[in-house]
Amino acid sequence: MNRTQNRILISGARVWDASGAAPFEAEVLIEGNRIRAVQRGRGQLAAAGCQVIEANGRFLMPGMTEGHAHLSFESVTSTEDLIKPSPEAHTLLTARVAKVLLDHGFTSAWGASEAKLRLGVAVRDAVNAGLLPGPRIRAGSLEISVTGAMGDESREHNPRKGPSIIVDGPEEMRKAVRLSCREGCDNIKLDVSGDPFYPNTPAHTTPMSFEEIKMAVDTAHAYGRKVNAHTRSIGGTKACLKAGVDMLYHCEYSDEETLDLFEQYKDRVFVAPTVSLFHSIVNNEAAPNGLTAEIGGYMGINALLEASVKTHTELRKRGIRHLIGGDYGFAWSKNGTNARDIRFFVDYYGYTPAEALACATRNGGLAMGSAIGERLGEIKEGHLADLLLVDGDPLADLSVLLDANRIELIMKDGALYKNGLDAERGSAQQRAAA
């Protein structure tokens, strides 16, 4: 990234600051890696010594956060796709996906889990060192599960190792979390509940015990790390909330007590519903890979989608902080199309476009900021300068965020990763000179 200019002035932008306010014309001054001033109107901020970027009315918004990042998932169709690649090949794949996310406006990625323990760690470190392009990364661990549950790929006659660590009991959990922390993972992933892809432990079941969950949380927090949980069941979600899990995924099934617990912990917890996976199945987008809507019906996907709508609509009404992030990385929902979740939040959960966009920006920034002790996700003085300049109005048409070519400027941590406006102006100058 290019940070040769310490002062950048974006002028004439239509600023959507993610605060809940309507867009307004303004200038934004960036110094180093921070937003130093946001001034309504034009010509109010001194341009001397600045690299000036003329936005010409384009839509300026905060960078987005992928709340359920699987950087090591690239067109996955089965667990075998996660097991088979060598560590070396899988590291290159993970680096490719990190670049894809940044190219599509995701300046932060909250790692859910990865297919091998250090994939997210290695790519995070290379991105932080400026050796690879990518978002700000919270590196996810392997999934940690229990015998016979989701993530356990072994059978007595075939003890193969899947993309997970299998534990039984609090002491084995303590060791697995310590191992993940030692190896540099930022986020620890727990498979708390069952899942429709594992028939022996369907979605409403809860194989992992409260004592195992609590041990994971206490151990991870002692290292200053965060905990993610795959939880679809009522029992699993209640246990996660009571144990202090930081990021809850899925959470389809609920009852009144579950909803009340969410509200009790609303200032601490973040939730990513991951609706994209179900949407893709019930709308036959996964059919070319053999996962038809009919098969999804046999798996109970339709009922899970209905439960998701009911639960997360109620959580929206109660002010629970949702993040977008829909288990992207499968062949039918590829990384790079992650911004589809914003539309899904409108269609399934009743968010307005502005509210859904805030889930992708402000709420994502709150989650990342809580982990790194920083402010980001809004266009405000003092916040980290993660910004997108978009050709089009996402509030009127959310699909513009799916076209990487229409995200004309991408700034992460005050550095210009992409500036299509300068390239456009340079081409015009060359044509004029010719």
Side-chain angles (χ1 to χ4, degrees):
M1 292 192 184
N2 176 20
R3 200 184 284 168
T4 56
Q5 293 283 349
N6 191 48
R7 289 166 54 86
I8 299 173
L9 180 64
I10 301 176
S11 180
R14 185 169 172 249
V15 175
W16 183 78
D17 64 7
S19 70
F24 53 91
E25 184 181 25
E27 297 176 314
V28 178
L29 175 64
I30 296 97
E31 291 183 353
N33 69 340
R34 297 193 181 275
I35 298 168
R36 287 303 176 198
V38 180
Q39 184 64 52
R40 290 176 181 256
R42 293 179 64 98
Q44 303 298 308
L45 298 175
C50 293
Q51 176 185 356
V52 178
I53 297 173
E54 290 292 344
N56 294 320
R58 290 175 174 83
F59 191 93
L60 186 69
M61 59 177 279
M64 294 183 286
T65 295
E66 165 55 55
H68 189 141
H70 290 301
L71 299 177
S72 55
F73 289 32
E74 186 181 53
S75 298
V76 171
T77 60
S78 68
T79 305
E80 192 62 30
D81 294 334
L82 304 175
I83 299 172
K84 186 176 180 180
S86 68
E88 296 83 0
H90 220 143
T91 304
L92 295 174
L93 181 158
T94 305
R96 288 197 301 270
V97 172
K99 182 180 184 299
V100 165
L101 285 180
L102 185 58
D103 286 341
H104 286 82
F106 287 87
T107 52
S108 290
W110 182 281
S113 65
E114 301 303 346
K116 296 176 177 66
L117 183 58
R118 287 184 51 82
L119 291 176
V121 173
V123 172
R124 176 203 67 198
D125 291 349
V127 168
N128 289 348
L131 303 175
L132 291 173
R136 181 180 289 102
I137 295 170
R138 294 279 304 173
S141 70
L142 284 166
E143 296 178 353
I144 302 177
S145 189
V146 297
T147 298
M150 174 185 167
D152 184 3
E153 298 293 325
S154 291
R155 295 296 180 268
E156 188 175 12
H157 67 283
N158 181 21
R160 75 172 186 160
K161 185 177 181 180
S164 55
I165 302 172
I166 305 303
V167 305
D168 290 293
E171 287 307 316
E172 288 187 12
M173 176 65 81
R174 189 202 305 266
K175 185 172 182 178
V177 173
R178 283 176 171 173
L179 170 67
S180 302
C181 293
R182 184 191 75 186
E183 296 303 307
C185 299
D186 298 306
N187 297 336
I188 308 302
K189 172 73 178 292
L190 307 179
D191 288 343
V192 171
S193 80
D195 188 80
F197 287 89
Y198 286 78
N200 290 336
T201 51
H204 66 274
T205 65
T206 311
M208 189 173 286
S209 71
F210 175 80
E211 291 75 18
E212 289 165 333
I213 300 166
K214 189 68 166 63
M215 177 63 81
V217 171
D218 290 348
T219 305
H221 287 178
Y223 281 86
R225 313 302 166 87
K226 299 291 186 179
V227 179
N228 305 324
H230 166 106
T231 174
R232 301 189 188 278
S233 66
I234 292 174
T237 299
K238 289 179 181 178
C240 288
L241 290 168
K242 292 175 182 178
V245 170
D246 303 286
M247 178 73 72
L248 275 66
Y249 294 137
H250 313 304
C251 305
E252 287 87 14
Y253 293 121
S254 66
D255 58 15
E256 198 65 24
E257 182 185 355
T258 309
L259 298 172
D260 289 343
L261 280 172
F262 270 114
E263 194 160 9
Q264 180 180 340
Y265 296 116
K266 66 189 297 184
D267 294 330
R268 174 183 60 75
V269 72
F270 295 91
V271 182
T274 64
V275 69
S276 172
L277 180 61
F278 294 161
H279 173 93
S280 299
I281 295 170
V282 301
N283 287 279
N284 266 322
E285 294 174 6
N289 300 102
L291 186 51
T292 64
E294 183 180 10
I295 292 173
Y298 299 145
M299 295 168 62
I301 299 299
N302 300 71
L304 275 166
L305 181 56
E306 290 175 8
S308 178
V309 170
K310 181 179 178 181
T311 294
H312 292 289
T313 299
E314 181 61 30
L315 292 182
R316 170 185 62 79
K317 294 176 181 177
R318 295 186 182 218
I320 306 305
R321 297 176 298 186
H322 277 134
L323 272 69
I324 67 167
D327 253 337
Y328 288 89
F330 293 97
W332 49 84
S333 55
K334 294 182 179 180
N335 273 304
T337 66
N338 311 60
R340 294 204 321 163
D341 259 35
I342 305 171
R343 179 80 250 172
F344 295 154
F345 274 32
V346 174
D347 293 342
Y348 287 108
Y349 304 140
Y351 279 101
T352 67
E355 290 168 342
L357 195 56
C359 293
T361 53
R362 183 183 64 223
N363 288 359
L366 286 170
M368 293 296 294
S370 72
I372 63 176
E374 283 285 2
R375 292 178 294 164
L376 64 158
E378 298 182 59
I379 303 180
K380 286 186 176 180
E381 182 178 337
H383 279 51
L384 294 179
D386 291 1
L387 302 171
L388 309 177
L389 197 58
V390 182
D391 176 21
D393 184 355
L395 300 180
D397 179 9
L398 288 167
S399 69
V400 301
L401 293 174
L402 293 170
D403 185 351
N405 293 322
R406 299 187 70 172
I407 304 176
E408 296 191 307
L409 180 145
I410 301 172
M411 175 183 288
K412 186 193 103 178
D413 205 40
L416 286 170
Y417 169 66
K418 175 183 179 182
N419 186 1
L421 279 72
D422 270 3
E424 180 181 288
R425 183 166 59 249
S427 298
Q429 291 171 343
Q430 289 175 354
R431 290 194 298 270

